[in-house]
Amino acid sequence: MTTAPGLGGRISDRLWRSPGLVVFLLLTPPALWLGVIYLGSLFALLAQSFFSIDEFSGMVNREFTLKTYAELFTPTNLDIILRTVVMATLVTIASAIIAFPIAYYAARYAKGRWKAVFYLGIMLPLWSSYLVKVYSWKLILAKEGIISWFFEVLHLTWLLDAFLAIPVIGGNSLSVSPTGTFIVFVYVWLPFMILPIQAALERVPTSMIEASGDLGAAPGQTFRHVLLPLALPGVIAGSIFTFSLTLGDYIIPQIVGTSARFIGLAVYQYQGTAGNIPLAAAFAVVPIVIMGFYLWWAKRRGAFDAL
Amino acid sequence: MTCLKHTASLLGIISMLGATAASAQMTEIGAGEGELSIVAWAGYVERGETDPAFDWVTKFEAATGCMVSVKTANTSDEMVALMNEGGFDLVTASGDASLRLIAGGRVQPINVDLIPSWGTVDDRLKSAGWHTVDGVHYGVPYMWGPNVLMYNTEVFPEAPTSWNVVFEEQTLPDGQSNKGRVQAYDGPIHVADAAQYLMFHKPELGITSPYELNEEQYAAALELLRGQRTIVSRYWHDAFIQIDDFTNEGVVASGSWPFQVNLLKAAGVPVASTIPQEGATGWADTTMLHVDSEHPNCAYMWFEHQLSSNLQADLSVWFGANPSVPAACTDGRGMQTAEGCTANGLDDFDKIRFWTTPVADCSQGDDTCIPYYRWVSDYVGVIGGR
């Protein structure tokens, strides 16, 4: 005579007999998270871009219209988009150039304890408050800040002034110039470029570099034809971070720079302060479209082949 | 299915009831709800945490049991956005926000009979156009003051007599250009400051109010602001960033609020403020009650508190502003004195053109003036160098 299995037993029997149910139960929560909370809220925001705003009271008029998208193409807003894309591109290129040698050293030469120190050094700035870092940079770059002081001590103030006199990138001080915004962007996003490049470089076998040298390639040729193509997925992965983070950031241009708007700041101000959610939503679509094109281009360049 | 329909119609009726209840003004004040949330300018609602001497919340909380929470807003646009979002009871709205809130139906009419001290309010403010529409009051006057010209006293041994130091490139008394050393407000309402400047210097434009500009007058104001962009390094919207810029960035003159002037003076920075010959724009703030406020009784208690307690006197000292209850200058309810009020510009009421939302239908005729939304987009353009 067998005893009937308890509730726990019955559940485990049922799960054992239908593996599909197990998969379903395990996948539902993350799928819901991704689908409803993550993508759902994004689409709810994007849907807003098809509404318009009553220009006086600031109340949203919930009727379908493309008027808000048309507003994106006014010269003022095109300026904002162009300014942001140029900045994001420059920040990405500069980050890649600075990050590559650092990542190369960390991947190839740093050993044991030094490797830990290296990781810590790169990660440490990420652990401190982002706002504190940006405010510190405001003070460092200020007219009466440490950089100006340093130039003064070296009797090189004329050099700094000459640089700041250059139109477009200059300004009254580094802290109120586009150059200042650029420096802070590069500083803040650099770890996001170093880490993927380092991961990619560690996967490049040393033997390939040696083989390239044995076959008579100069170091420059080895870099261009062996190392860089093999590390490219890392560079592209890093550039996706730095590029999209710059496209969306709204704190840095608010604290350091000329007060000229960037996409993130425009979204923040239209949504957070002017209550113009439709235009903010339309602006939020811009980085999505730009990143879409960028990923498509990166895929064509074979950046994801090694994944 | 029928059941669903019933529920839907029931919900409809309930929401209609809610709407009627909310749009009618209160007729009596009940017991406090224990909470009160206020959207306010920085420094407007102090509980002695910044400086123990300035506290007008603790006693209110003890007397009414309404615990006050404050959400600080930096611009009028931000205040309108927060009130549109909802979840707040009161807002200290300036004239460039109040009419938008009324038009948007975000605030409810106020029954002034329920506020015993209403009679003590400055007669010039009781029915001011920025909170009273068609004879209906939508708020209780809070505080008013000028947008002053703040300047560095080491660079200007004597107070500048004109706003031109922040509008036009020139050599300052210390022999250097003002380029990069002046600031302007990072809010579209700054167009009005430009218009007021033109009112004085270009009378041929025929500007009668800096908030009512036709195409031609508006274009002239924008042109002035584009010139200003070349001498302004950074625009200010956060009072504390402006304070930092006067301390570390070599900024020597800017339109400002007495609030920053007082804090900088207290920190030992050589600054002072003045109202130049062109006059000044100013703010007159009104406490308004959200249409869906969940704590209306506490809100009415606050209305009475704001008029009758030490708030009017002490806030006017703290913020460098003027009380909406003139008696607060003299009756010793707080730290303010008659001299202090005079210094803050109490007698300059008529020289100040208070922030008002620009609308298309103005005294020059219907649909002839440039409405506020164009001020917003064009000012973003000016700051972007266009």
Side-chain angles (χ1 to χ4, degrees), chain B residues 40-331:
Chain B
W41 295 104
Y44 249 28
V45 181
E46 291 285 324
R47 55 166 75 244
E49 282 170 353
T50 320
D51 183 331
F54 293 91
D55 178 3
W56 42 89
V57 173
T58 313
K59 267 190 277 177
F60 172 76
E61 289 181 339
T64 63
C66 301
M67 292 301 147
V68 175
S69 59
V70 180
K71 167 81 184 158
T72 304
N74 285 319
T75 62
S76 289
D77 295 337
E78 207 170 318
M79 287 190 168
V80 174
L82 287 169
M83 289 301 274
N84 283 348
E85 203 176 284
F88 299 98
D89 299 311
L90 295 174
V91 61
T92 59
S94 297
D96 58 331
S98 54
L99 288 177
R100 277 186 277 163
L101 291 169
I102 296 169
R106 303 324 293 162
V107 291
Q108 54 175 288
I110 301 298
N111 184 351
V112 296
D113 298 335
L114 295 180
I115 307 165
S117 298
W118 175 262
T120 63
V121 172
D122 196 324
D123 287 330
R124 301 173 293 190
L125 294 170
K126 268 182 186 154
S127 295
W130 50 86
H131 62 78
T132 303
V133 175
D134 299 332
V136 181
H137 297 287
Y138 285 90
V140 179
Y142 196 64
M143 198 61 38
W144 63 272
N147 292 314
V148 295
L149 173 61
M150 173 156 71
Y151 60 95
N152 184 307
T153 50
E154 284 173 1
V155 173
F156 296 92
E158 282 175 31
T161 54
S162 168
W163 283 101
N164 66 8
V165 294
V166 296
F167 279 118
E168 286 166 17
E169 189 169 357
Q170 59 185 274
T171 307
L172 298 181
D174 69 347
Q176 291 176 31
S177 165
N178 62 346
K179 195 169 184 181
R181 300 163 77 204
V182 296
Q183 281 189 330
Y185 186 56
D186 190 354
I189 205 70
H190 185 59
V191 175
D193 291 278
Q196 193 183 36
Y197 180 76
L198 293 174
M199 220 168 137
F200 187 89
H201 292 280
K202 287 203 178 150
E204 66 273 18
L205 284 169
I207 300 175
T208 50
S209 157
Y211 305 98
E212 298 184 343
L213 305 174
N214 62 30
E215 283 288 351
E216 188 199 352
Q217 296 160 344
Y218 181 72
L222 285 188
E223 202 47 48
L224 181 66
L225 292 168
R226 286 188 194 106
Q228 185 186 44
R229 169 75 261 201
T230 61
I231 58 168
V232 168
S233 294
R234 174 160 48 220
Y235 291 75
W236 74 273
H237 61 274
D238 180 318
F240 291 94
I241 290 189
Q242 183 178 48
I243 287 173
D244 187 53
D245 285 339
F246 264 77
T247 318
N248 295 312
E249 201 58 61
V251 174
V252 298
S254 173
S256 186
W257 300 330
F259 180 66
Q260 286 97 297
V261 181
N262 290 346
L263 282 179
L264 279 165
K265 274 184 182 167
V269 180
V271 296
S273 64
T274 180
I275 295 180
Q277 59 183 353
E278 295 91 350
T281 57
W283 76 90
D285 294 346
T286 309
T287 317
M288 305 180 110
L289 178 56
H290 196 280
V291 67
D292 302 321
S293 166
E294 286 171 11
H295 315 105
N297 295 325
C298 278
Y300 269 82
M301 291 176 201
W302 177 266
F303 286 147
E304 174 58 20
H305 173 78
Q306 93 176 38
L307 296 178
S308 63
S309 73
N310 64 325
L311 184 152
Q312 288 286 326
D314 288 350
L315 175 57
S316 78
V317 173
W318 173 245
F319 207 81
N322 292 297
S324 296
V325 177
C329 292
T330 48
D331 65 5

Side-chain angles (χ1 to χ4, degrees), chain A residues 55-59 75-77 79-80 83 135 138-139 141-145 171-176 254-261 268-275, chain B residues 75 77-81 84 99-100 103-104 106 179-181 186 229 233-235 237-238 241 244-245 247-250 357-359 373 376-377 380-381 383-386:
Chain A
E55 277 128 2
F56 181 65
S57 69
M59 301 297 283
T76 304
N77 291 339
D79 274 358
I80 294 176
R83 183 182 299 127
Y135 273 107
K138 179 179 188 294
L139 290 177
L141 296 170
K143 194 171 189 63
E144 287 156 35
N172 189 51
S173 78
L174 280 172
S175 148
V176 294
Q254 201 171 179
I255 298 174
V256 179
T258 63
S259 294
R261 306 295 190 260
Y268 172 71
Q269 286 188 329
Y270 283 125
Q271 174 161 336
T273 64
Chain B
T75 62
D77 295 337
E78 207 170 318
M79 287 190 168
V80 174
N84 283 348
L99 288 177
R100 277 186 277 163
R106 303 324 293 162
K179 195 169 184 181
R181 300 163 77 204
D186 190 354
R229 169 75 261 201
S233 294
R234 174 160 48 220
Y235 291 75
H237 61 274
D238 180 318
I241 290 189
D244 187 53
D245 285 339
T247 318
N248 295 312
E249 201 58 61
T357 311
V359 293
Y373 78 91
V376 176
S377 50
V380 169
I383 293 181
R386 185 167 281 277

Side-chain angles (χ1 to χ4, degrees), chain A residues 139-262:
Chain A
L139 290 177
I140 293 170
L141 296 170
K143 194 171 189 63
E144 287 156 35
I146 189 164
I147 292 189
S148 301
W149 172 82
F150 198 68
F151 273 89
E152 203 179 301
V153 169
L154 295 177
H155 299 287
L156 287 174
T157 305
W158 58 270
L159 187 65
L160 185 62
D161 286 346
F163 176 79
L164 288 173
I166 302 172
V168 183
I169 58 169
N172 189 51
S173 78
L174 280 172
S175 148
V176 294
S177 66
T179 311
T181 321
F182 168 80
I183 292 173
V184 180
F185 268 132
V186 171
Y187 168 81
V188 171
W189 305 140
L190 194 59
F192 295 98
M193 183 63 102
I194 296 178
L195 295 176
I197 296 185
Q198 185 187 348
L201 284 173
E202 273 176 354
R203 288 212 303 255
V204 178
T206 327
S207 54
M208 289 208 178
I209 312 285
E210 289 164 356
S212 168
D214 290 348
L215 291 171
Q221 284 175 308
T222 306
F223 175 75
R224 256 176 295 138
H225 298 295
V226 181
L227 193 59
L228 191 58
L230 288 173
L232 197 64
V235 179
I236 300 273
S239 71
I240 290 169
F241 284 125
T242 55
F243 193 76
S244 59
L245 286 170
T246 313
L247 279 187
D249 188 77
Y250 65 96
I251 305 275
I252 294 172
Q254 201 171 179
I255 298 174
V256 179
T258 63
S259 294
R261 306 295 190 260
F262 282 74

Side-chain angles (χ1 to χ4, degrees), chain A residues 68-87:
Chain A
T68 311
Y69 277 102
E71 266 181 64
L72 276 186
F73 294 98
T74 59
T76 304
N77 291 339
L78 277 180
D79 274 358
I80 294 176
I81 294 170
L82 190 69
R83 183 182 299 127
T84 314
V85 171
V86 168
M87 178 63 83

